[in-house]
Amino acid sequence: MSDQALTYLDANSVATEGPAWLDVRRKAAHASFADAGFPHRRVEAWRYTDLSRLMAKTDWHPAAPHDGAVLVPEGRSNPFSSIASHKLVFVNGFFRQDLSELDGLPEGVEILPLETALERGTKFESAFDANGPEAMAPIAALNTACARDGAVIRLNEGITLEQPVQLIHYTPDGGATVAHTRNVIELGSGASMTLLEAQIGWGGAYLVDRVTNLNLGERASLTHVRLEDEDTDAVHLSTVLGDVASNASYKANTLALGGRAGRLQSALHFTGEGAHAESNTAYLLRETQHLDSTIVVDHAVPGCTSGALAKGVLDDEAIGVFQGKVIVAPHAQKSDAKQMSNALLLSRDAAMNAKPELEIYADDVQCAHGSTIGELDGDALFYLRSRGIEEQTARQMLISAFLGDVLEQISHEVARDALTERATQWFEVKKEGEV
Amino acid sequence: MLEIKDLHASVDGTPILKGISLTIGDGEIHAIMGPNGSGKSTLSNVLAGRENYMITKGSIIYKGKDLTELSIEERASAGIFLAFQYPTEIPGVTTMTFLKTAVNAQRKARGEDELDAVKFLKLVREKAKELKVEEDMLKRPLNVGFSGGEKKRAETLQMSLLQPSLAVLDETDSGLDIDALKIVADGVNRMRAPDRSMIVITHYQRLLDYIVPDHVHVLAKGKIIRSGGKALAAELEASGYTDLTESAA
Ligand SMILES: Nc1ncnc2c1ncn2[C@@H]1O[C@H](COP(=O)(O)OP(=O)(O)O)[C@@H](O)[C@H]1O
Ligand SMILES: [Mg+2]
């Protein structure tokens, strides 16, 4: 039993007065999290990110609905706003119908808030049973016990959704508030869509915790583009738990800029042959920001390919973490897994922790992993400056080039440009700060 | 244009240049020849302002001003251009983007209007054609995977776009076959102008058949040990550097 967890759950868990299938799971999750507590650095999978310490000494309580206008600070707006989309908007974790766009959904497509889906009697038993690997299970339990709302996106077999779906979360209010959201995304066989997700906050000290259960049917395809841009006092957790069936494909590209501390974790599990999953993250940190990017890929069946690439730019005293784990089951021959972490340290006081782990029980596999930690290339900087390019611009060009492997891979052109622009803004803040 | 007096310079604490004096008038081309390791690239890096190259003694006056007071990029905008012996590969930055950024950075620094995308593209296409630089090369990351010849042509292209007042060409001929050498030399010759001076650094006399210098200097062990007219290059070709270097020692 953990007192910290009990106190937290007392204040923030959801009353079990929903549908019976959910109450059972909420109670079990409550008990399991009360027992395990917030993961701390003596838990191997959390040794670089001590969530227990990050959550300590704060009187956490649920965020309240924010009903009025949402005044997003300059430069922090939804980067995908110009893209015609189906859209779900959450503010402080509460669904805002008035800001969302859900008209004209094609046949065979369900996009709605979780709360509404539950009221309609939809069951999400398997999603709420999926706790992911050990590294992520405590957070999944915490989320199950505390999540009030979230997004449900379901595509029937064979549906190709032309417009992307946007999931936008704003956190305008803080003061030790928490918002737990649960997303459930299910794509039937051969269905495909693009998900544009942005988590933007400026409310000060708050916790946002979002768990997304993905279930991709055979030959389904999900492109997932994310921006994580939290207040520099905020703690954020984002967990993706995905099952990927045969010949299905999941591609995630994330730009993470914010937060006092954050953990972006994904557990991707192949359930059928010939599937592909990749999760690529670019993160830019300064001051004492901390970002942990953790991925577990489970090649449980033969013939799947996976990739994880983390590219971090760390300034000041920022700390980056990459933990990548590949599991290849004994019979999962012809698995192909790549994991790479590259960190660019702009300051002597920044630090990077990279931990690759391979658990390979099959022999006919290709697994590559590596990590590099370096500084900006002095020769390249000199070359650019010798052509008249100012030092600051030259640095920015080299850093953008470094991040290109993640950001330029975003297949949705407008989204790609929007996130590239966001990354560029990051330098400009620095520039002003230095003047 | 340029007046170097008794220049001493160290690289990472090791003295390399040991008293170089050189005066270059407007519109002149000076060739600097010398064996490997004599300090030719060091001199060009010192002129461009590379940070770990320390001037320990002497002066460099460029257009009447102390060059050493300018930052790397200020020197570039003031008209100094170094064609690198080994151009740096810069992954992730396309050549075209780089060229546009460089041209406009210099224009801005000089208080001129920046070129818009259309004007810039027209200019690049024109210059690229002269130097037989394929459009495809401009779409590739800067110098990455370029052959030796492509790198040198890319350097020459940059020079012709940036229109410097003082160009330092550091072994721009190395690694080029005779056809490529002619293309590059033609590019350089087209840029000869009464208000533009050049320092042509080379190991071989061959380049100087195409870019005919006004003066030739021989650098050995960080010092200019001989200066003369263009005939000196031919003389060196015949006798080699050995005699000269030994008499300097
Ligand atoms: N970074 C460095 N640190 C110490 N010595 C160097 C460095 N770079 C070059 N040198 C030395 O300086 C001398 C001159 O080099 P360089 O200017 O490149 O000669 P050149 O261009 O004439 O062949 C050589 O002896 C070389 O070994
Ligand atoms: Mg040299």
Side-chain angles (χ1 to χ4, degrees), chain B residues 61-136:
Chain B
I61 303 298
Y62 169 70
K63 291 186 176 172
K65 288 192 190 123
D66 183 355
L67 183 68
T68 61
E69 285 182 359
L70 303 185
S71 69
I72 302 165
E73 51 267 43
E74 284 168 344
R75 293 179 197 208
S77 297
I80 291 193
F81 179 89
L82 167 60
F84 285 66
Q85 181 175 3
Y86 303 109
T88 311
E89 299 193 358
I90 308 189
V93 175
T94 60
T95 305
M96 191 64 110
T97 307
F98 158 74
L99 291 173
K100 184 160 182 260
T101 311
V103 167
N104 279 334
Q106 293 205 10
R107 294 183 70 95
K108 195 175 158 201
R110 290 192 294 259
E112 300 162 13
D113 282 346
E114 296 185 25
L115 294 182
D116 64 31
V118 178
K119 278 202 188 118
F120 177 75
L121 202 63
K122 190 162 170 279
L123 182 66
V124 174
R125 288 212 170 116
E126 188 184 301
K127 303 278 186 193
K129 206 169 153 199
E130 286 174 2
L131 290 161
K132 300 204 163 51
V133 168
E134 303 286 334
E135 191 118 2
D136 167 65

Side-chain angles (χ1 to χ4, degrees), chain A residues 278-336:
Chain A
E278 66 183 278
S279 183
N280 305 317
T281 304
Y283 54 96
L284 298 159
L285 308 177
R286 57 167 59 107
E287 293 169 5
T288 56
Q289 285 184 299
H290 175 116
L291 191 97
D292 176 336
S293 165
T294 291
I295 181 163
V296 178
V297 183
D298 187 358
H299 284 258
V301 294
C304 295
T305 54
S306 69
L309 174 65
K311 298 216 116 183
V313 175
L314 308 176
D315 203 351
D316 305 323
E317 293 159 54
I319 297 174
V321 178
F322 174 78
Q323 302 185 108
K325 184 172 184 173
V326 174
I327 306 164
V328 180
H331 62 285
Q333 305 297 359
K334 309 278 183 209
S335 292
D336 184 332

Side-chain angles (χ1 to χ4, degrees), chain B residues 36-37 39-42 85-86 170-171 201:
Chain B
N36 278 331
K40 303 186 297 294
S41 293
T42 304
Q85 181 175 3
Y86 303 109
D170 191 355
E171 300 209 21
I201 294 173

Side-chain angles (χ1 to χ4, degrees), chain A residues 379 382-383 385 387 391, chain B residues 50 73 82 106 155 158:
Chain A
D379 289 341
F382 172 61
Y383 189 93
R385 293 178 68 194
R387 298 308 185 235
E391 183 175 4
Chain B
R50 197 169 189 132
E73 51 267 43
L82 167 60
Q106 293 205 10
E155 293 290 294
Q158 291 177 35

Side-chain angles (χ1 to χ4, degrees), chain B residues 11-12 14 16 35-42 53 85:
Chain B
V11 185
D12 299 331
T14 313
I16 309 285
N36 278 331
S38 56
K40 303 186 297 294
S41 293
T42 304
Y53 288 65
Q85 181 175 3

